[in-house]
């Protein structure tokens, strides 16, 4: 049988009145009756065996009673500690303010709860989660204090370890040059790093994760849910983002990985429940993209320069052939007249004319052979926005140096057309070059180049509009004829640019015209069918 606590106290402490003093407060004055006595004994046993360290002290914290758990937690047996002050447990690491607060609270008849650093009998420190309640007599005067405490060193250590791990994870992800965010299954941000936080203000798109998740879901379609259900990650999903900051256009490469974590709330205590999270990383690849774009533009410049050189030779030779053709036609006419006359008088002249004609034909044939071929290029789905953007970049220097205001209004999600990227680039380079030339010619204050793309069910439209002097109505049909130019001939002005432009448009089954409704400057309207059949004869 367990020790009779009452007797124990009475025997070992000489504080015979402790329990008797407390008992009336707890059980009323008639507690010595049989029924109440039973309850009283039960109470004493309950306190004695309670799984929490209990001590009862006088008003000065002198210990009058301790239960078994107290001895287990502190290492002090009753014989060691009864009559001592509770301060025997103090490690002196607990700041004095805590004790002041403790005493201020309990002396004013309130319950104090807090954590103290205690010292075990062996000298080992432990953390005590302590509650002290004052006990009042019938007149409301404090007679005793009851203290209840638990050793919380281990839970505290685990809790601290979790906090430390969290801090470690946070410092690792914060030192990453990549923006990282952890999202729950409701797309709510659970954890993020400094770089991610910087995106919130830099991008001006609200919650960046929400913005990128929308782009990712749109781009990946069903693949998103497939990967999510199998917890398979994704990477290298690149997106262009227009922001309001100093860097207007930025590129991000997105990667994601799903993981499952067990729920820790009370609901999941008996039924194991888990939640899926997504780690999303956003890498700013704007610099790499710019470098790639610059490289691409350099390559295009080289290709275009070579193409221009070939075109120059072709146009010169075609021009020369065209020039030779006129006197040749006259000679052919004279030769035919003489041949019909059939008189001997002009036989010599006829022979000379035939020789000239033959040598002229040979010269033209030789020139024809010398016309360089334009290289065949692959026919692929082409995004005209991309082509026009590249051509604008190719002309960047000229546009900038002439202070031309560019209104570039591409339709997002423009359908593709099947065609030759290179040929279409030449086409738009020609039209934009012409537009810039016209703008530079004009004395108008307004220097404006407007390029728009749009579409309807069947056609893709491109409009290139300049604020130059325009083309008079009577000349509008002629500009598409060979060797016709509104500018002085020479250099690049061979009058073949729009001929070639029209040829390229035709090869792509398109249509080009000068907008008759344009009353200021000049507006070229080009349309292409949205068909996706391979084109024949595209060079
Ligand atoms: P102390 O001189 O004992 O006290 C520090 C300050 O507390 C004093 O300057 C004074 O302002 C105030 N103070 C002390 N005694 C009283 C008093 N009777 N009335 C008003 N103010 C007073 N301490 C622990 O370290 N660990 C425990 O587990 C613990 N359990 C306790 C349980 C009970 C039921 C009670 C009543 C107190 C307990 N104490 C405990 C507090 C303890 O009594 C000491 O106050 C404390 O340990 C500081 O001891 P000290 O010798 O450093 O300073």
């Amino acid at each position: 049988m367990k020790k009779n606590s009452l007797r124990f106290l009475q025997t070992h402490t000489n504080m015979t009145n402790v329990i008797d003093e407390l008992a009336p407060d707890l059980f009323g004055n008639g507690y010595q009756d049989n029924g109440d006595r039973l309850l009283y004994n039960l109470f004493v046993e309950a306190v004695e065996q309670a799984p929490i360290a209990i001590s009862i002290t006088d008003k000065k914290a002198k210990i009058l009673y301790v239960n078994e758990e107290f001895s287990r937690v502190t290492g002090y047996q009753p014989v060691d500690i009864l009559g001592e002050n509770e301060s025997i447990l103090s490690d002196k690491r607990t700041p004095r303010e805590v004790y002041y607060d403790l005493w201020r609270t309990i002396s004013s008849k309130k319950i104090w709860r807090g954590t103290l650093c205690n010292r075990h009998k062996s000298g080992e420190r432990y953390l005590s989660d302590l509650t002290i309640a004052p006990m009042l007599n019938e007149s409301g005067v404090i007679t005793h204090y009851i203290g209840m405490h638990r050793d919380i060193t281990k839970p505290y250590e685990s809790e601290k370890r979790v906090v430390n791990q969290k801090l470690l994870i946070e410092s690792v992800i914060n030192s990453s040059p990549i923006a990282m965010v952890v999202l729950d299954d409701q797309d709510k941000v659970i954890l993020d790093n400094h770089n991610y936080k910087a995106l919130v203000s830099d991008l001006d798109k609200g919650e960046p994760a929400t913005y990128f998740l929308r782009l990712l879901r749109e781009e990946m379609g069903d693949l998103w849910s497939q990967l999510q259900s199998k917890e398979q990650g994704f990477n290298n999903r690149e997106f262009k983002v227009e922001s309001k900051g100093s860097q207007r256009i930025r590129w991000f490469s997105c990667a994601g990985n799903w993981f499952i974590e067990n729920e820790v709330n009370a609901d999941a205590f008996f039924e194991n429940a888990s939640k899926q999270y997504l780690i999303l990383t956003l890498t700013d690849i704007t610099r790499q993209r710019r470098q790639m774009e610059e490289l691409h533009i350099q390559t295009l410049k080289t290709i275009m320069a070579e193409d221009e050189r070939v075109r120059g030779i072709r146009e010169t030779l075609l021009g020369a052939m065209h020039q030779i053709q006129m006197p040749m036609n006259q000679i052919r006419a004279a030769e035919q007249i003489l041949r019909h006359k059939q008189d001997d008088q002009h036989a010599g002249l006829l022979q000379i004319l035939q020789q000239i004609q033959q040598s002229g034909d040979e010269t033209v044939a030789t020139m024809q052979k010398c016309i360089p071929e334009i290289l065949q290029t692959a026919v692929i789905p082409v995004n005209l926005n991309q082509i026009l953007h590249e051509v604008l970049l190719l002309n960047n220097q000229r546009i900038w140096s002439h202070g031309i205001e560019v209104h570039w209004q591409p339709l997002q999600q423009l359908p593709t057309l099947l065609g030759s990227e290179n040929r279409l680039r030449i086409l738009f380079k020609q039209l934009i070059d012409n537009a810039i030339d016209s703008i530079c010619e004009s004395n108008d204050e307004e220097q404006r180049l407007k390029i728009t793309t749009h579409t309807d069910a069947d056609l893709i439209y491109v409009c290139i509009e300049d604020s130059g002097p325009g083309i008079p109505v009577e000349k509008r049909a002629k500009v598409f004829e060979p060797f016709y130019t509104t500018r002085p001939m020479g250099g690049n002005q061979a009058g073949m640019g729009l001929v070639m432009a029209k040829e390229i448009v035709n090869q792509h089954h398109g249509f080009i015209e000068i907008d008759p409704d344009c009353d200021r400057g000049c507006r070229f309207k080009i349309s292409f069918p949205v068909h996706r059949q391979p084109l024949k004869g595209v060079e």
Side-chain angles (χ1 to χ4, degrees), residues 57 59-61 85-87 89-90 92 96 99-100 103 106 116 118 130 132 145 147:
T57 71
K59 287 203 294 185
K60 291 190 173 165
N85 191 286
E86 290 272 8
S87 67
L89 299 174
S90 168
K92 313 295 176 203
R96 310 235 27 107
Y99 296 129
Y100 293 143
W103 281 106
I106 60 177
L116 302 178
N118 274 3
L130 173 66
I132 304 177
Y145 292 111

Side-chain angles (χ1 to χ4, degrees), residues 233-245:
F234 58 86
N235 55 29
N236 295 335
R237 300 271 160 183
E238 296 185 1
F239 297 102
K240 187 168 106 176
V241 181
E242 287 190 30
S243 61
K244 284 185 182 161

Side-chain angles (χ1 to χ4, degrees), residues 216-368:
L216 283 161
R217 286 188 177 119
E218 268 170 25
E219 193 200 65
M220 290 164 75
D222 293 343
L223 182 64
W224 174 271
S225 39
Q226 282 168 28
L227 293 177
Q228 187 178 17
S229 61
K230 292 185 206 152
E231 276 162 48
Q232 283 177 353
F234 58 86
N235 55 29
N236 295 335
R237 300 271 160 183
E238 296 185 1
F239 297 102
K240 187 168 106 176
V241 181
E242 287 190 30
S243 61
K244 284 185 182 161
S246 53
Q247 251 187 316
R248 265 178 46 79
I249 305 272
R250 289 173 73 178
W251 281 88
F252 287 88
S253 171
C254 302
N257 271 303
W258 281 278
F259 69 94
I260 297 277
E261 202 181 78
N262 289 329
E263 289 270 47
V264 289
N265 56 23
D267 298 356
F269 188 76
F270 290 109
E271 286 169 32
N272 249 348
S274 56
K275 208 168 174 180
Q276 195 181 42
Y277 294 87
L278 171 69
I279 305 179
L280 185 66
T281 59
L282 309 164
T283 314
D284 189 333
I285 51 162
T286 314
R287 231 185 66 220
Q288 293 91 313
R289 270 280 177 166
R290 292 239 163 90
Q291 282 169 351
M292 268 172 61
E293 200 164 64
E294 269 164 34
L295 199 70
H296 181 58
I297 293 298
Q298 281 309 323
T299 314
L300 287 184
K301 272 187 183 158
T302 315
I303 294 171
M304 302 291 278
E306 175 58 15
D307 184 84
E308 225 155 83
R309 192 185 66 82
V310 169
R311 235 168 4 106
I313 298 171
R314 277 174 68 95
E315 282 174 22
T316 312
L317 288 172
L318 287 168
M321 283 163 65
H322 184 77
Q323 296 295 320
I324 292 172
Q325 218 58 59
M326 286 253 275
M328 287 290 295
N329 288 344
Q330 286 166 350
I331 290 167
R332 189 170 287 116
E335 185 254 352
Q336 273 173 6
I337 294 166
L338 284 184
R339 206 156 8 103
H340 279 112
K341 280 193 178 165
Q342 289 182 343
D343 62 9
D344 296 341
Q345 197 187 339
H346 294 99
L349 181 59
L350 181 64
Q351 201 182 354
I352 291 168
L353 286 181
Q354 280 170 340
Q355 279 169 2
I356 294 172
Q357 207 183 314
Q358 194 187 345
S359 103
D361 285 345
E362 280 167 11
T363 307
V364 171
T366 309
M367 288 165 97
Q368 182 77 51

Side-chain angles (χ1 to χ4, degrees), residues 246-528:
S246 53
Q247 251 187 316
R248 265 178 46 79
I249 305 272
R250 289 173 73 178
W251 281 88
F252 287 88
S253 171
C254 302
N257 271 303
W258 281 278
F259 69 94
I260 297 277
E261 202 181 78
N262 289 329
E263 289 270 47
V264 289
N265 56 23
D267 298 356
F269 188 76
F270 290 109
E271 286 169 32
N272 249 348
S274 56
K275 208 168 174 180
Q276 195 181 42
Y277 294 87
L278 171 69
I279 305 179
L280 185 66
T281 59
L282 309 164
T283 314
D284 189 333
I285 51 162
T286 314
R287 231 185 66 220
Q288 293 91 313
R289 270 280 177 166
R290 292 239 163 90
Q291 282 169 351
M292 268 172 61
E293 200 164 64
E294 269 164 34
L295 199 70
H296 181 58
I297 293 298
Q298 281 309 323
T299 314
L300 287 184
K301 272 187 183 158
T302 315
I303 294 171
M304 302 291 278
E306 175 58 15
D307 184 84
E308 225 155 83
R309 192 185 66 82
V310 169
R311 235 168 4 106
I313 298 171
R314 277 174 68 95
E315 282 174 22
T316 312
L317 288 172
L318 287 168
M321 283 163 65
H322 184 77
Q323 296 295 320
I324 292 172
Q325 218 58 59
M326 286 253 275
M328 287 290 295
N329 288 344
Q330 286 166 350
I331 290 167
R332 189 170 287 116
E335 185 254 352
Q336 273 173 6
I337 294 166
L338 284 184
R339 206 156 8 103
H340 279 112
K341 280 193 178 165
Q342 289 182 343
D343 62 9
D344 296 341
Q345 197 187 339
H346 294 99
L349 181 59
L350 181 64
Q351 201 182 354
I352 291 168
L353 286 181
Q354 280 170 340
Q355 279 169 2
I356 294 172
Q357 207 183 314
Q358 194 187 345
S359 103
D361 285 345
E362 280 167 11
T363 307
V364 171
T366 309
M367 288 165 97
Q368 182 77 51
K369 276 190 211 152
C370 291
I371 295 176
E373 284 292 314
I374 289 178
L375 282 177
Q376 299 269 338
T377 54
V379 173
I380 52 167
V382 179
N383 182 336
L384 287 185
N385 283 348
Q386 175 66 24
I387 300 281
L388 287 159
H389 172 70
E390 286 169 359
V391 175
L392 280 171
L393 286 177
L394 283 169
N395 280 307
N396 214 5
Q397 185 58 37
R398 277 188 83 201
I399 290 172
W400 184 78
S401 64
H402 289 103
I404 297 170
E405 202 182 302
V406 176
H407 297 251
W408 167 223
Q409 293 166 1
L411 176 83
Q412 302 289 319
Q413 316 289 339
L414 191 71
T416 54
L417 76 135
L418 279 180
S420 154
E421 273 191 321
N422 205 25
R423 301 295 289 150
L424 290 164
R425 210 175 281 118
I426 291 167
L427 158 70
F428 290 115
K429 174 96 170 57
Q430 180 64 51
L431 296 177
I432 292 174
D433 277 349
N434 285 355
I436 295 173
D437 288 345
S438 299
I439 294 167
C440 297
E441 252 173 47
S442 128
N443 296 324
D444 204 332
E445 283 230 328
E446 191 188 21
Q447 306 248 292
R448 187 174 47 85
L449 171 65
K450 184 176 171 187
I451 302 171
T452 57
T453 57
H454 61 283
T455 187
D456 60 23
D458 306 313
L459 297 169
I460 302 166
Y461 301 92
V462 179
C463 284
I464 299 173
E465 187 180 326
D466 64 67
S467 59
I471 302 172
V473 181
E474 66 281 6
K475 292 183 181 168
R476 284 184 187 168
K478 286 195 162 204
V479 292
F480 291 106
E481 288 175 10
F483 306 109
Y484 181 85
T485 175
T486 54
R487 303 194 180 103
M489 278 284 231
N492 284 336
Q493 314 295 347
M496 289 297 284
L498 287 180
V499 178
M500 176 204 60
K502 189 163 187 169
E503 189 186 311
I504 297 173
V505 172
N506 289 343
Q507 283 164 350
H508 288 81
H509 305 301
F511 185 71
I512 181 166
E513 62 168 339
I514 297 168
D515 188 351
D517 300 330
C518 181
D519 47 9
R520 276 193 71 196
C522 181
R523 186 190 298 136
F524 277 87
K525 283 171 70 177
I526 310 104
S527 54
F528 296 103

